[in-house]
Amino acid sequence: MDFEAVIGLEIHVELNCATKLFCDCPNRPGDEPNANTCPTCLWLPGAAPCLSQAALEKAALLCLGLGSELQPLSAFDQKVYYYPDLPKGYQLSQAHLPLSRGGGITITNERGEARALRIHHIHMEEDVAKLVHELEGRQPISLVDFNRAGAPLVEIVTEPDFRTPHEAMEFLKALRTQVRYVGASECSMENGTMRVDANISVRPRGSSQMNTKVEVKNMNSVRHVGDAIAFEIARQSAAVQAGEAVVLHTRLWDPDKKATLPMRAKFEGPCVPDPSVPAIALTPAWIETLRARLPEMPAAKAERLVKEHGVSAEDAAFLSADTDVAAYFEALTAHGVSAKMALHWIATQVLPAVRERGQELSASPVTPARLAGLLTLLARDEINANAAREVLVALFQSEASAETIVSARGFRQISDTGALDALIDQVLAAQPAALADVRNGVGKATGFLIGQVMQASQGKANPKRIKELLAKRL
Amino acid sequence: MTPITLFENPNPAPAVPDGPLYGTRVALQPTISVAGWPTDAGSAALAGFTALEDATVVQRLRQAGAALTGLTRTSEFGFGLHGSQAGEAVRLGAADAELVLDMMGECRVAAARAGAYGLTPSAGLLSRLGFIGLIPSMERCGLLARSCGTLHALLAALAGPDGRDLTLEEAPPPAPAPLPADARGVTLGVIPQALDGLPAAQAEGFRAALARLATAGVAVRELPLPEYDLFALVHMIVGSVEASSCAGRYDSVRYGRRPPGAKNWNEMYLSARGAAFGTCVKSFLIQGAFFQFERYAAYENACRIRARLVAAAQRLVSEVDALALPLPDRVPEDITAAPLAETCAPFGCTRLASVTGQPALAMPAAGACGALQLVGPRLGDARLLALGETLATVCRGGK
Ligand SMILES: [Zn+2]
């Protein structure tokens, strides 16, 4: 039988707010354990949660960035479960009245078709504490670190629109880009600021029935999400083929075994509205003010780059995948660098160099203005590409302009006919065999001669001019 | 005899040299956080818990110059009055006022029991930061004292916005309508359904009080409310579900004693909670868990009905100066664990205000006049106290 999968995702994104969701403690989970705590986020008796306005704004901005409709009224509920990472017994989450509904992302599937994948809703919730399991002598102990307790999260719940691991991965990549655009989170699965659970079921291809789903957790990269979904589709298809029933349960992805394994379920009950946090009423005016703060989103930006700069759709997608890269590109073109040259230099030189140095593009010492200075010299043939690459290295090391570096280090290329002719004379005299080859039509001999002239000029000759002058001589 | 106090403040001297409550001795319950004091809320589940910070109301008591005398014994989480000594410190003159957590009328019944006045202020008027109760949407800081004047001074010092409790009213309460010059201009509303099923003695005391007031010129109007029984029902369903959900905070795992022998976390949680809670609280939580897990739709219905009842009660109050409701002035003496029904029995007439969030003032019995409750419009607390003062004079036989 031919099966197709029905997949929905639940994506937790940790907002990069300065403070936690319901108190003023720093939102820095990585600090010394339990350093960032207070009675509210230790969930002590008597504590009263106060919703952070900054977290609400950031969450709302994220919703708008994903095209999800902010609801005029949303509220927090108590999601009851008992586990030592949640010693108060319930998590504040928006179960009944989420912050926003709808929205989605359009991706390109394996067959190159556009697929609109819908978001069901987005809600806010507080993160739970972190359990650390250790040995004290031979006694296993579990320690609780509350630094993460009460950290601001949003959960993005999709419709079960996905059919393949590829679609899930593309969605996650696009989601990450968009959330980074609005500046709400780093969305790193590796660092745990984005956590993805996948709900997966299978059915005969073409059927519209919804079968029992299995939830898979614990993937810590986009790649693992794809692998876990692929494994689970295969596992369920085989089970159904063998006549076994799929039962509702949760499984953990084991990256070493490359398999999903069943886990013990947590006790969970229906949510009761929380009376301590007032309901959130958003006015249309507030929403519009927030919308005005929304940056140009990736799809719109890519479209504009194609229109304004004539780059290909693929290049536009590459540039707009990172708002810093797109901004860098546009700054270069604003300084008069051609789109083609800007794109080429960003992709092949600047990004690798910045990455190698562990810098952020937006904070790199090689600003678009300084790089434009270099690329202008290159475009005017005042230096050649080899020299340009060396000047780039120098730009990273000093604050001097490309112009100054080129002059000081003698990188300016020799285009002067007299000087080049003299070098050519010298090479032709020294390489009679190559000269004969060229005259006999051995193509690569020309390249060899150009190389020799370059060498004689210590790399400063203009290769284009050499070629022209050589052609005249031969 | 059971001692009244659980903890006596070794340094009761006021923290500031003057203030509107300077020298007023106030006793608290261990359901209200005082930094460094044992705040176990009367539950073994919180045995050994010491509050890290003052409740906002405690901070304000200190700022106003009050002398904090200590903690009185409380029922478990302040729920009901079994095992509670609320009101006794005032009755015996050991304190001028008490703060008593009120979730179904505890402060009002305790006041009547002690022959004192008790105010359950409007919901949203006093910060709830630092309270350790069971029903967040109904728990309020009740004020208990020998006179309406003291209640007024307490209310003025404690009420008002608190950046740490965002459920509070932001705007100051509306200016109260002027009060009639004396009892002759006052109109009280009586809900006839509230008298159904009342113990004969209590009904008699209530009628006597109304008769006395009428003689002094107070107009008494009947305001039928066929849905009256729903207040108790809504209170039991909504209150118990909230308790079942939020009592996870009091799990006896971080505080209290964990019974030994559990094989895993789950077992440890179950046995710790099972061992820690008293019979009454346990029944209340089980009832709440039943509605939460098995009859969630009934809970949602109860929430909808509550909204309707709030509107109905506010409409009734708007037709008169205040509603008058009966109030028992004694609770069964049995101090040991009582079943849920028995614990809740004295609160038949106090739940209306607990459900609606309206202010309610308990007036003590005087002679043949039984104790009674005045329920005012939301945020009409100051006027309600002034009304209480006028009517108290009448009940005590004055003019
Ligand atoms: Zn905190």
Side-chain angles (χ1 to χ4, degrees), chain A residues 18 38 143 358:
Chain A
C38 71
L143 303 166

Side-chain angles (χ1 to χ4, degrees), chain A residues 39 42-46 48 50-51 78 80 82-84 87-88 90 96 133 142 267 269-273 275-276 278, chain B residues 52-53 128-132 136-137 163-164 166-167 241-242 245-246 248-249 251 254-255 265 269 273 292-293 296 299:
Chain A
L42 287 168
W43 299 314
L44 291 180
C50 291
L51 179 64
Q78 301 174 349
V80 170
Y82 294 110
Y83 205 68
K88 75 171 160 175
Y90 61 85
H96 297 297
H133 306 288
S142 297
F267 167 82
C271 297
V272 175
S276 304
Chain B
L52 294 184
E53 54 180 358
R128 284 175 43 239
L129 176 75
F131 292 179
I132 306 178
S137 82
R164 305 213 29 213
L166 302 184
T167 61
V241 170
E242 281 186 27
S245 180
C246 83
R249 289 179 290 181
D251 56 19
R254 277 194 290 181
Y255 304 97
W265 281 332
Y269 267 85
R273 290 170 66 93
Q292 185 180 358
F293 297 111
Y296 194 79
Y299 162 72

Side-chain angles (χ1 to χ4, degrees), chain B residues 28-51:
Chain B
L28 303 157
Q29 283 183 314
T31 49
I32 297 171
S33 302
V34 184
W37 291 15
T39 314
D40 66 4
S43 178
L46 289 180
F49 174 62
T50 301

